[in-house]
Structures are given as structure tokens and as C-alpha cells.
Amino acid sequence: NFYVGPGSLTFQPGCVIKYTNNATMLVYGSLSFPDTFQTPVFTSVHDNAFGETLPGSTGNPTLTGTALWVYYVNFNTTVQNARIRWAQRAIQYDVNPGVYITHTLQRSLLEHCNVGVYANLQNATLVLNQVEKQDVTTPITCPGYPYYPCGTIYGTINQTPFYTEKSFAGLDGDDGSIIPDTMGAIGPNHFLTTTTSGKIAVFDRTNGNKLNEQWLKSFLEVPTAADPRVWYDHDSERWVVSGMYSAGDTVVVKVSLSSSASLDTNNWRRYAVTFTLGENEGPDFPTLGIDANGIYLSTQVRGSGPDRAGYKVWALKKPDVYSNPQYQPPAPLTVTAEELDTWCIQPAYNFDASPVGGYAWFVAKGPASGNLGGQIYFRRLQWNGANPEWVGDWQAVAGSYRDYYDIPQKTDTNSVLLAPHKDGTALELGNLGSRLMTAVIRNGYLWTCHHVGLDGTDGDYDGFTADRSAVQWFKLQVGTGDLTYSAHGRIYDPASSNPYWYHFPSLNVNAAGDLLVGFSGSRATEYIGAFFRGRKANGTWMTRPGLVQAGRGAWTSDGWGDYSATSMDPSDDSFWTIQEYTDPVPELPWGTWITQVKASP
């Protein structure tokens, strides 16, 4: 047990407090909690989902005592932005008779507790504001409950719309990568993850144990590897991994021969797609999509300096790619820079068993125009026997969604939007620009996202200096011949000062139409952390971003990982997101964290 008082107790953003079995923190002094999404976490010593894994941890949390016991103080207190897990009682308030004070509990999440709030208030008042619960047996109780009142309580404790289930560490900076570029996906038994220029690894999805790993270049069988992508193909129950030979003219696709993610060479088949490069040209930022008919790749062809020489698109026919070891991918389709002015083409992962019209869909963001952000463009591909063919030209999606600051792509001569964070070099968001990050199709709608700039607190851009970045998502209806705008929105911090900057997002959608977005976030007073936010199919959002892992150290590069990954569980259609955060160990400046998120009924 631990006792604090009568002096003040201050909790810093992202602090993690771990308790042994039945231990209690008793407070009889003043409390100070930060205004943060990188919430202080109170949990069991055996809970490895937050902070460091401590010696002796079993990984199976047991109940602590009372995580925070506010003990007979005679002044108002405020507990806010707290996440309390695995406690017999999350918070207990004891107040002497005749003491007229007000305790406030706000913007907090109580998880896996027998009792949420034990309120021995007497003549005092408790105000509950945006307090949520998950797996809490008794949300509120008191000594005389249910026969005598608990005191005066305003507000309720509501079920959180999205909650974390599994949560464990992924790869970190000891794999030699300078920038994480997080990537991964969930399968029936494993989580398969990789980082650019680093390693590829398989984790047991039930306990988070790393089962095996190897260098990505060895797995792809190239001298140097970069920009990997990973999907689990639900339709065919196979894994698909792509990456490029960063110094050459080759993009590699490897497909598993089973639903296992084992890295054993007998479990994988390799296909290499090559293309002719001009002088000073090279591949960059390959992307990966899947539907019931094929596997799709798009690769930017970089010219000298910041110039783009166009794009190459490959389509690999299923089931040939899975069943025929001698299968030869067709020649690439070419998209010139004149046809489409963009920095990235995203082929969609289509969950629908019968794609509308049998088409594969590709999306990209066009250039900005004045104060208007770039339009979304789309194009269709169809199969003529074993041959892929474009259908029509690139077309723009009409709609009123362009009131955002389109972050320019950084060149050697310009510097664009800088996202602040604590004790480090500001992130250069122009290293990625506002290119689209991911694209998925579910139930006849295509969803995609990117990060954009805003000015002020109203969620749009009025032509002034951008003072924060936001995650922007789109929902586009898939027709037989086009994509039609349905909805869009932004995840942003409306604070008037020191706002969070949200960046590097990914998303996915379950069969019910619920949306989950994973992303990085930082502000001037906090390290770079990892977050998610969910939206139910009826339009109801989580009230605040959920914490995946708090940033825990300085980041001294102006670049951050270009990738982010959110995938769907083939077993129960829950979400799994892998995100990156800063680590305090100088030799391991970053880490990745794998989190399963479920939507509440």
C-alpha cells in the first residue's frame, strides 16, 4: 500500500502505476491530473498492456485493491483523464459528515473492476462527466446502498463504445530501422508485422509472444528491402506480403501456402515483378490491395530529385497466384504523371465477396487548388481472362470535402508543416504530404484516409497558417461505374492553445459498418504517442481518442513512420491496429504496439 499526503500528488502525462495484488493508493492531500489523451494508467503489476513489463509479471492481471482512495479530505478534488484497470475498487471517496465539498471525476475510463466508484459522500457531492466503463461489475456503490443514498451524485458511468481486448508490444528499434514504418495484420492464429529495412516477425495473437522473426531482406530475398505491406486475405485464407528492392527495379510479393504466418520457407511462394527504369529512376512507396479476383500492387517511379516519372500497377490473378508455382504475373499497367498528378495510388482491399461489377478499385488524391485541398480520384480495373485492363480514365469524386490544408510534399528546397512534440525535432509532415494512406471496401462503400492541416478550432481551413494536423476520413459509395461521395469527417483537437497534432493514420471497417482509425499524435508538451478512435455505424464517436501507448521519450529525427496499419480479425471481425510511439531507451528510440479493439454491442 502507498499513502500520499498531506502534500500534493501530481500525475504526469503517460505515467503508469502498477500495483501488486490487493495494494491500494490512499491520498489525503491535493490531486493534480494532466489535461491529456496520454492518460495516466493505474493497473496491475501483471498487466503488460501499458508501460514496461516488470520482473515477475505473469501477463495475467489480478485485481489490485483500491487504485485511488481519496481519504477524508475537506477540499474539492478533480480526477480527470485517468485510466484505471484491474482494481477491486477503481476510486473510493470518503467524506466526514458535515463537510460540503464537491469531488469531480471526468473524462476517465474504468476497466475490469469489481466496483467503479465507491461513494461514502455523506453531505458532499460527486460530479461524473464523460466517465466510461468496460467490464465493471458495479459501476457505483456506497456503504448503505441500495437502502440509503450515496450522497449527491450528478451524472452516470456509461459503457464505452469501443474497448481494448488484447494489447502487446511489437517490433522496436533494435531491428536496426531508423524510422519504424509500422505495418502488420491479424490472422486466425498470428499477428504478422514488419518494419521498413528491418525485420518481419510473427506473434502469437493470444499471449503476444514473439514466435519467430527474420530480416525482411532475407524473407523477400533481395539485397536491401524497404516499404513492406501486409494483408491477411480473408477470402483465400492466405497471407500476402509485399516490399521492394530499394536499390533496384524489383517489387516482391510473397504469399503463404496456408493460414499460418510461419516464416518457414516451405510456407511461402515468391513472385518478383520487375520493370524498366530510366536513368536516375527508382521505385518508391509500393502499395497493396486484394479482392476476390486478384492481388494488386502500385509503385511510384521516382525520377531525379523530387520528380515523379509515373506509376506501375500490377494485377496478379487469383487463384493462379496461390495454386501455380510457375505463374508469371502479367506486364504492369502504366500511369503517367500527366494522367494523374498524385504521390500515391492506393488499390483497395475489398472485403465484399462479389465486388460490384467485378471491378478492382484504385484511389488517389489529386493536387490542391488555391485554398482547396486535393480531390479524390478513382479508377477501375477488370479482368479479361488472365489479363487485367483499365476501365475508363481517372475520375474525380465530387463533394464538399475540400476545406482542408493540403500538406505539400516536401522537396529538397521547401519545408512544410511541422508537427511539434516534446524535447525533439518537429516532425516534417511534408515527408509524406496528404497522400492517401489506406483504402478498404466493405458492404459497398470504399473508405480511405490521410492527414491534413487545419487552422483554428472549427475543424476546417480558412486560408490562414495551419496550426494543427488532423486525420481526415472518407466514405464513398461504390457504384457500377463510379465512386459517389457519401460522408467524410476529421479527427482533430479543438483546443485553442497547445493542440494535439494527429498524423499517419490507417482505418478499417467491420461488417456492421463500425469504423476504427489508428494514428500517431503529439503536441509541444508531450512525446509522440499512439491512439485510436472509433465511430459506430450510427455515427456515434468515442468521446475521446483511446490510448494505445503513451510516448515515452524524445525523437530527434524530423521523419516519422510513413505507414500505419489497421486490420480486421477473420475470427470475430474485431479490429487490430499496430501503431508506433517513442521509447525512452536511446538505443531503441521507437516501439510499436499491437492492440485489439472491439465495438461494444
Side-chain angles (χ1 to χ4, degrees), residues 4 9 11 17 19 23-27 31 33 42 64-71 77-80 82 84 87 89-94 105 116-118:
V4 182
L9 175 58
F11 298 97
I17 300 161
Y19 299 71
T24 291
M25 178 183 290
L26 186 148
V27 179
L31 292 166
F33 279 79
F42 305 76
T64 68
T66 300
L68 195 61
W69 188 352
V70 183
Y71 191 73
T77 68
T78 297
V79 175
Q80 63 180 5
I84 301 178
R89 294 176 179 176
I91 301 179
Q92 178 168 334
Y93 293 100
D94 281 307
L105 174 60
V117 175
Y118 182 91

Side-chain angles (χ1 to χ4, degrees), residues 26 69-74 89 92-96 101 103 118-122 124 143:
L26 186 148
W69 188 352
V70 183
Y71 191 73
Y72 293 107
V73 301
N74 58 3
R89 294 176 179 176
Q92 178 168 334
Y93 293 100
D94 281 307
V95 182
N96 282 313
I101 60 175
H103 292 303
Y118 182 91
N120 180 20
L121 295 173
Q122 306 291 335

Side-chain angles (χ1 to χ4, degrees), residues 176-242:
S177 303
I178 299 173
I179 295 175
D181 279 357
T182 55
M183 181 51 55
I186 187 65
N189 299 301
H190 305 123
F191 193 95
L192 180 63
T193 178
T194 182
T195 60
T196 192
S197 305
K199 293 182 178 179
I200 184 168
V202 179
F203 288 83
D204 187 316
R205 57 171 285 161
T206 60
N207 55 28
N209 291 337
K210 186 191 299 183
L211 301 179
N212 49 53
E213 68 178 13
Q214 61 180 259
W215 293 107
L216 179 63
K217 63 182 181 181
S218 299
F219 176 77
L220 295 178
E221 302 173 52
V222 291
T224 58
D227 291 359
R229 301 274 179 170
V230 177
W231 281 117
Y232 180 75
D233 184 349
H234 290 213
D235 175 65
S236 301
E237 299 181 345
R238 306 288 188 95
W239 292 90
V240 183
V241 179
S242 66

Side-chain angles (χ1 to χ4, degrees), residues 532-549:
F532 69 88
R533 196 174 186 191
R535 174 186 183 268
K536 299 301 284 289
N538 63 10
T540 301
W541 280 95
M542 292 173 60
T543 55
R544 298 154 51 81
L547 179 65
V548 172
Q549 200 67 209

Side-chain angles (χ1 to χ4, degrees), residues 489-511:
R490 292 170 193 146
I491 301 172
Y492 71 98
D493 186 354
S496 58
S497 62
N498 191 28
Y500 276 97
W501 293 58
Y502 298 138
H503 31 69
F504 304 98
S506 59
L507 59 74
N508 223 310
V509 181
N510 65 15

Side-chain angles (χ1 to χ4, degrees), residues 445-477:
Y445 288 93
L446 186 148
W447 301 74
T448 186
C449 64
H450 57 169
H451 60 219
V452 301
L454 306 177
D455 55 3
T457 62
D458 59 356
D460 61 18
Y461 177 64
D462 300 307
F464 303 104
T465 302
D467 61 3
R468 68 201 70 202
S469 58
V471 170
Q472 180 166 252
W473 57 270
F474 298 93
K475 180 184 181 183
L476 310 173
Q477 187 167 11

